[in-house]
Amino acid sequence: MRVKTFRDKNMGRVLARIKSELGPDAVILSNQTVRENGQCLCEIMAAVDTDEGSPQAGVENKILTIPQNTVAPAAPGPAAGVPDGDWRREWEEIRGHMLALMKPGLALDKLDPRQRLAMHYLEREGVEDAVLLTVFRSITKCGEKTVLPALSRVVTVKPLPSGEWNQRIHVLAGPNGAGKTTAVLRLALAKKREHPETPVHVATLLDGGGDGSMLKRYAELSGIAFHSVSGAEKYRELCASLGRNGFVFAEMPSLRPGENMDERLRALGMAGSPEVAVHLVVSPTCSTSQLKAFAGRYRVAAPGSIIWTKLDEACNFAGLVNMAYIARLPVSALSHGPDLTRSLVPASANAVWKLVFKHQLPGDSREEADAGDTARDTAKNAA
């Protein structure tokens, strides 16, 4: 079998190059978006069967990045005109078929009983097969006795607010109703509690719709400076108002159909700024397919994370694991409940795993026996 990995900013060029180099019988093994030198690239691994005696037989482990000034030949037939959404659906189908074929081959008997119990629990909760395969391979490769080290390589944590972030301007983006406005205010209040002497501001990044009046009212009641940013000039004024050590937490209205995050940041004069981090605000009440759509739509070439809101409304928390695997972003903050002052906490590995395995909300001081049923407690102990 001949295997090659291709990278390019344009999916169409990647597909055309695969068909040109590997032929029409090539099979797509994986498809993901990676960051390289600050750019988001489409990375596709493809394979084609070859004769064992052929000099080209075997696995090629190098990655081919297609030069940007190279025009790849167009794919023949109707495939050249297939919309991007259709390609994505086809890749998801191929990926699903491959995972279905691979899953029965998982030798779970190689794992310790505690590990098997934790893996079965994750599967019942709704963790995707691709994540389970990744965790299984990681456990068997490293010889670890629990699943948490392997899971921690999938679900990373970078607390916000904390000194782990070098950026001073934190933009919260996501779908309507995700809780961006309250999350902005909660983060600003948490930052003020952490460093009372530090200037903390909030802002609304206007897009022609809405006026940020709700955030403005909340900010006035909390004694926090409020800004409206509608373009590059307003953004420069905001940066000047921060001084040398100020911070700002800003909400961005949801994207319009066909719009992407990089376009929105360029319109505001924020694209490429080393001071800016962009955080995706989502709720675990969303389905995995919906989380995938959000991860693709709100992807941006800037440092970022995932902020989870409305945790108290979710029936399980497999989405935390699935989304971290899909988006390749760390978890930064966890929010639940209506209280504005104490219902958001910086993310920690302990808090994440208590959510996943025990359904225990951050700050819940109930005894372990009251945090969930026996199956969840047993799975937590096994992990």
Side-chain angles (χ1 to χ4, degrees):
M1 177 176 284
R2 185 182 177 202
V3 180
K4 256 192 173 183
T5 302
F6 300 80
R7 282 182 182 172
D8 188 66
K9 292 175 68 175
N10 183 282
M11 292 184 190
R13 283 200 295 266
V14 177
L15 294 170
R17 181 61 66 88
I18 290 172
K19 185 161 287 189
S20 173
E21 294 203 6
L22 301 183
D25 296 327
V27 175
I28 295 173
L29 300 181
S30 68
N31 169 42
Q32 62 179 342
T33 302
V34 298
R35 282 194 177 94
E36 185 178 89
N37 298 327
Q39 292 185 329
C40 286
L41 301 176
C42 172
E43 179 181 290
I44 298 178
M45 180 185 293
V48 65
D49 284 330
T50 58
D51 295 332
E52 292 187 1
S54 168
Q56 290 184 331
V59 177
E60 300 183 16
N61 57 11
K62 66 179 182 179
I63 297 176
L64 175 62
T65 301
I66 303 173
Q68 297 306 307
N69 57 358
T70 301
V71 179
V82 175
D84 180 67
D86 291 342
W87 280 114
R88 289 184 181 275
R89 282 193 291 272
E90 183 178 347
W91 291 338
E92 286 296 323
E93 288 179 6
I94 294 172
R95 178 172 171 269
H97 293 322
M98 293 187 65
L99 289 173
L101 292 171
M102 294 171 65
K103 191 175 178 182
L106 278 180
L108 292 180
D109 57 328
K110 292 183 178 179
L111 303 179
D112 292 340
R114 292 175 58 190
Q115 294 171 331
R116 287 200 299 273
L117 178 62
M119 293 285 283
H120 287 313
Y121 173 81
L122 292 171
E123 183 179 17
R124 289 196 305 271
E125 285 288 284
V127 173
E128 286 210 303
D129 290 343
V131 182
L132 296 175
L133 287 167
T134 300
V135 172
F136 174 80
R137 291 177 60 192
S138 181
I139 292 173
T140 54
K141 179 181 178 181
C142 300
E144 293 157 340
K145 297 302 182 183
T146 67
V147 301
L148 283 185
L151 277 171
S152 296
R153 288 188 282 273
V154 175
V155 185
T156 58
V157 172
K158 190 175 181 181
L160 180 73
S162 76
E164 295 188 31
W165 293 90
N166 297 322
Q167 294 77 20
R168 299 193 300 154
I169 300 172
H170 297 274
V171 177
L172 275 61
N176 287 323
K180 298 186 293 292
T181 302
T182 51
V184 163
L185 190 62
R186 287 166 176 166
L187 285 168
L189 292 172
K191 189 67 179 179
K192 284 190 68 174
R193 286 195 302 269
E194 181 184 353
H195 298 288
E197 73 288 351
T198 299
V200 179
H201 305 241
V202 297
T204 294
L205 308 178
L206 301 178
D207 66 340
D211 56 3
S213 57
M214 183 179 296
L215 180 60
K216 182 179 181 180
R217 179 60 176 159
Y218 282 148
E220 290 174 348
L221 293 173
S222 304
I224 299 175
F226 171 83
H227 302 264
S228 294
V229 178
S230 55
E233 182 61 33
K234 291 290 186 180
Y235 172 63
R236 286 191 289 270
E237 292 177 6
L238 171 64
C239 292
S241 69
L242 297 180
R244 298 182 61 182
N245 61 341
F247 284 81
V248 62
F249 297 93
E251 64 167 341
M252 176 179 285
S254 61
L255 297 176
R256 303 184 185 90
E259 188 180 18
N260 63 53
M261 282 294 298
D262 288 318
E263 291 174 354
R264 179 72 67 83
L265 291 176
R266 280 195 294 271
L268 294 168
M270 304 173 73
S273 172
E275 295 274 20
V276 175
V278 180
H279 309 276
L280 176 56
V281 181
V282 287
S283 166
T285 58
C286 297
S287 66
T288 298
S289 59
Q290 189 65 65
L291 292 175
K292 286 181 181 179
F294 291 149
R297 192 175 181 200
Y298 286 90
R299 192 178 301 277
V300 63
S305 72
I306 304 169
I307 296 175
W308 289 100
T309 60
K310 304 184 179 181
L311 295 173
D312 52 315
E313 300 177 10
C315 61
N316 69 47
F317 302 95
L320 276 70
V321 181
N322 293 333
M323 189 63 165
Y325 178 82
I326 294 164
R328 301 296 198 271
L329 291 173
V331 179
S332 62
L334 304 170
S335 176
H336 65 92
D339 186 13
L340 284 176
T341 58
R342 300 292 176 181
S343 58
L344 181 144
V345 298
S348 68
N350 189 45
V352 169
W353 301 130
K354 281 186 177 181
L355 277 169
V356 173
F357 285 102
K358 296 182 61 180
H359 294 189
Q360 184 173 332
L361 296 174
D364 191 342
S365 59
R366 292 176 300 170
E367 292 296 324
E368 193 167 304
D370 297 329
D373 58 26
T374 303
R376 287 202 295 269
D377 292 341
T378 305
K380 169 63 178 176
N381 294 332

